[in-house]
Amino acid sequence: MSISGVNSPSMRISGLNSGLDTDSIVKELLNIEQTKIDNQFKQKQVLEWKLDAYKEVKTDLKAFTQKYMSVLSEDNLWSASALKVNNVDYLDENKGIISIEAGPNACAGNMVVNEITSLAKGANIEGATGVATGEGITNYNVHLSDLNLATSIDFSSGEVSFEINGQAFNFYEDDTLQDMMDTINNDSVANVKLSYSQLTNSFKIESRDLGVDSELSIVNITGNVFSSGTSALGINEGTYSNGQNATLKINGVDVERDSNSFTIDGIQYNLQSTTASSVSFTVSQDVDTVVDKISSFVDDYNALIEKYNDKITEDKYFDYTPLTDEQKDEMSDDEIEAWEEKAKSGLLRSDNDVSSMLSQFRLSFTSVVEGTGMSLADIGMGTGSYTNNGKILLDKDKLEEAIKDNPDRVVQLFTKTSTATGATKASESGLMQRLNDTINTYISDIQTISVDSTESQISSIEDKMDMLERLMEQNEERYYAQFTAMEQALATMNAQSQWLENMLSNSF
């Protein structure tokens, strides 16, 4: 016997008079409805697992493109600098005089910087010494009005203002020296650097533009920060054109530049000091680094291909359907894990989108890149027989030889791009664009076709489950109402029978 109010707004009287296990009987009567709900749940679960499988493919593809097709990645193979790597070896002791980098277009050979006569400098003005009292300025966060300057800043007009290279600046008593320096130094229009040296007890302003054509213009407006009379910072207003170019000799040729970092014939020179001594260096091709990068790419590519070839041929176990909560309650965690591994198997079996993507990947390696007359197979990157399922077989010796003999051709095979469309674009493009286009097409198709369709099916199933659950609740209420009516009828009958029995007993 039980008295229950679960799942019902009314009191339920179960088995009080009949002795029946009403809850068990109702549960059995509802088994058909529950089975329908469970079947819908299992269909929904399979679709949700399939969505997760699609998301995993997209995540793997995006990670692959970010690693090998983004210029921000050190493993990027979509730029000439990634595939034409040159080493620079110094033949003389450098001693921090100059640093040299050889870009992809640098020619191999011996070079010499004979001398560095001068470094490039911007127009500048170094103010008078002794601008501050005592030990000089040690705290930049003091208000401008409280700075220990020999000549105080004049705020009689409420502010000080001036222009540097045509950019206006205004400062007030509560601003600090740090505020002033940060504001000036971070302004891209003024494009200067204001600094203070405690050693010389002086301020300096210098143009960030270097070379003889650089110019520094200072105009004082209000106050005396850069007054032509007595400047608080020891720097008078005016126009200064005292910049200079870097001058040096490379292989005996006079060179003049308006920067200390410049590129000639694919070699970047970064000057750090003047010197009368020569600095000799050799530029040579770094084949090993390029081979290693391409080898790592092939390894990752093959792992991706193998994973999704396995997915589209994975066995499907039709007897292993998703488990309901009730079924899980009867199993151990290990049993659940083993069961669901079988149930999830084959979600992408024979998937058209994945299969098409893998086929297109294979074609990217086998077809000739127009304009080069070569395919990737010609430099040691072949797909072999179809039993390899599109995995790349890398011949490192052949690849190394191609990089040494035809580095520009190797670059084109990987990096060539095309603005055409369709088949023409594919034939004109190098490997990276081909793979990138295939991945983008797949991700777009899977979203608009597979993912959106699956999400729509899930939504439809959820609506159907809601309807079935409401129907089961209604049937449950109806069954309990019927049993309650029966119990009440039995109670009435028992009461009448007891009354009759009592009457007959009293009459004798």
Side-chain angles (χ1 to χ4, degrees):
M1 179 187 73
S2 66
I3 299 177
S4 173
V6 180
N7 298 324
S8 173
S10 58
M11 183 70 72
R12 296 171 178 173
I13 304 173
S14 303
L16 183 62
N17 295 286
S18 65
L20 297 174
D21 186 352
T22 307
D23 291 337
S24 297
I25 295 172
V26 170
K27 184 177 180 180
E28 288 296 324
L29 291 171
L30 294 174
N31 270 346
I32 295 177
E33 284 88 346
Q34 185 62 57
T35 299
K36 292 179 181 178
I37 293 172
D38 290 344
N39 288 338
Q40 293 298 313
F41 164 79
K42 291 179 179 182
Q43 291 180 42
K44 176 190 171 187
Q45 182 65 81
V46 169
L47 292 172
E48 288 176 341
W49 284 341
K50 198 161 190 176
L51 271 183
D52 290 339
Y54 287 137
K55 290 176 182 177
E56 183 180 1
V57 182
K58 290 167 65 176
T59 298
D60 287 345
L61 293 176
K62 287 180 178 179
F64 186 75
T65 57
Q66 286 170 0
K67 183 173 183 179
Y68 291 109
M69 300 169 202
S70 169
V71 294
L72 300 178
S73 170
E74 61 181 14
D75 299 302
N76 158 54
L77 289 177
W78 206 345
S79 65
S81 59
L83 293 160
K84 286 184 69 177
V85 180
N86 289 306
N87 285 326
V88 174
D89 295 312
Y90 294 96
L91 303 180
D92 301 310
E93 196 172 346
N94 181 25
K95 295 182 180 178
I97 295 169
I98 183 173
S99 67
I100 299 167
E101 300 173 26
N105 296 320
C107 295
N110 296 325
M111 301 286 292
V112 59
V113 176
N114 306 98
E115 62 181 7
I116 303 173
T117 310
S118 64
L119 297 180
K121 295 180 181 179
N124 65 89
I125 173 65
E126 188 162 356
T129 60
V131 71
T133 61
E135 297 180 356
I137 300 172
T138 58
N139 183 1
Y140 289 12
N141 290 310
V142 174
H143 292 158
L144 292 174
S145 58
D146 297 328
L147 277 174
N148 57 322
L149 296 174
T151 300
S152 299
I153 297 178
D154 179 10
F155 284 101
S156 59
S157 63
E159 66 175 13
V160 292
S161 60
F162 47 86
E163 287 184 358
I164 301 177
N165 290 340
Q167 177 72 337
F169 295 94
N170 300 76
F171 296 100
Y172 304 90
E173 292 185 52
D174 289 342
D175 289 325
T176 66
L177 176 59
Q178 190 67 58
D179 293 334
M180 176 185 284
M181 295 176 73
D182 288 345
T183 301
I184 293 173
N185 293 344
N186 292 328
D187 190 276
S188 60
V189 176
N191 200 30
V192 296
K193 179 182 179 182
L194 170 64
S195 59
Y196 169 78
S197 168
Q198 190 179 7
L199 180 64
T200 61
N201 194 7
S202 65
F203 283 92
K204 181 179 181 179
I205 297 182
E206 52 191 327
S207 170
R208 295 187 188 276
D209 290 331
L210 306 182
V212 294
D213 294 330
S214 64
E215 189 172 271
L216 172 61
S217 172
I218 304 173
V219 178
N220 199 69
I221 300 175
T222 61
N224 63 339
V225 174
F226 297 110
S227 171
S228 57
T230 304
S231 167
L233 300 190
I235 297 175
N236 293 335
E237 63 181 340
T239 299
Y240 304 91
S241 303
N242 57 343
Q244 69 179 29
N245 286 342
T247 55
L248 64 157
K249 280 188 177 182
I250 302 175
N251 282 5
V253 178
D254 289 329
V255 175
E256 185 173 352
R257 292 291 186 273
D258 61 2
S259 172
N260 292 314
S261 295
F262 51 87
T263 300
I264 299 177
D265 295 336
I267 299 174
Q268 181 175 322
Y269 299 86
N270 303 293
L271 310 184
Q272 299 162 16
S273 176
T274 59
T275 180
S277 302
S278 64
V279 178
S280 301
F281 62 95
T282 298
V283 175
S284 59
Q285 201 177 6
D286 187 352
V287 176
D288 290 342
T289 293
V290 179
V291 170
D292 288 345
K293 289 185 71 171
I294 293 175
S295 180
S296 294
F297 161 78
V298 170
D299 288 342
D300 286 348
Y301 174 83
N302 283 344
L304 187 70
I305 294 299
E306 183 175 15
K307 178 177 179 178
Y308 287 101
N309 270 312
D310 289 345
K311 290 290 185 183
I312 62 174
T313 58
E314 193 174 45
D315 289 335
K316 190 169 184 63
Y317 300 94
F318 293 97
D319 293 336
Y320 288 80
T321 59
L323 298 169
T324 63
D325 290 341
E326 189 175 32
Q327 289 172 321
K328 288 181 179 179
D329 290 340
E330 298 174 355
M331 301 169 67
S332 68
D333 290 342
D334 289 342
E335 289 173 332
I336 294 171
E337 183 179 355
W339 182 281
E340 291 195 338
E341 183 179 346
K342 294 279 190 182
K344 292 178 181 180
S345 179
L347 290 170
L348 295 178
R349 183 178 178 84
S350 301
D351 185 273
N352 289 332
D353 290 326
V354 177
S355 298
S356 175
M357 178 185 71
L358 295 175
S359 296
Q360 197 62 43
F361 278 168
R362 182 186 180 93
L363 186 61
S364 297
F365 283 88
T366 57
S367 58
V368 170
V369 177
E370 190 172 313
T372 68
M374 299 173 66
S375 70
L376 275 297
D378 294 322
I379 64 169
M381 299 174 66
T383 56
S385 68
Y386 270 89
T387 58
N388 289 324
N389 293 320
K391 292 172 68 174
I392 301 304
L393 303 177
L394 180 61
D395 184 336
K396 288 188 178 182
D397 291 336
K398 192 173 183 179
L399 175 61
E400 183 176 329
E401 183 179 350
I403 294 171
K404 287 178 180 178
D405 296 342
N406 295 293
D408 292 325
R409 191 76 61 86
V410 173
V411 169
Q412 287 294 297
L413 285 171
F414 277 87
T415 68
K416 194 170 184 288
T417 59
S418 171
T419 57
T421 58
T424 302
K425 181 179 182 180
S427 65
E428 293 178 350
S429 300
L431 178 64
M432 291 298 107
Q433 182 165 18
R434 288 177 178 180
L435 294 179
N436 190 65
D437 288 348
T438 298
I439 289 171
N440 287 339
T441 298
Y442 171 79
I443 290 177
S444 176
D445 287 349
I446 197 174
Q447 182 64 46
T448 57
I449 299 173
S450 302
V451 172
D452 289 348
S453 173
T454 303
E455 288 177 342
S456 177
Q457 292 179 64
I458 290 173
S459 179
S460 177
I461 289 174
E462 288 175 341
D463 290 341
K464 190 170 183 178
M465 286 178 67
D466 288 340
M467 182 270 292
L468 289 171
E469 286 170 353
R470 287 194 300 271
L471 180 61
M472 188 170 74
E473 288 174 1
Q474 292 170 4
N475 286 336
E476 184 182 25
E477 285 300 311
R478 179 167 59 84
Y479 292 143
Y480 273 111
Q482 290 173 343
F483 278 107
T484 299
M486 181 190 73
E487 294 292 340
Q488 290 172 341
L490 286 172
T492 300
M493 184 180 68
N494 288 339
Q496 290 175 343
S497 176
Q498 186 65 41
W499 177 82
L500 182 59
E501 184 178 341
N502 290 338
M503 288 295 294
L504 290 173
S505 298
N506 291 334
S507 63
F508 291 101

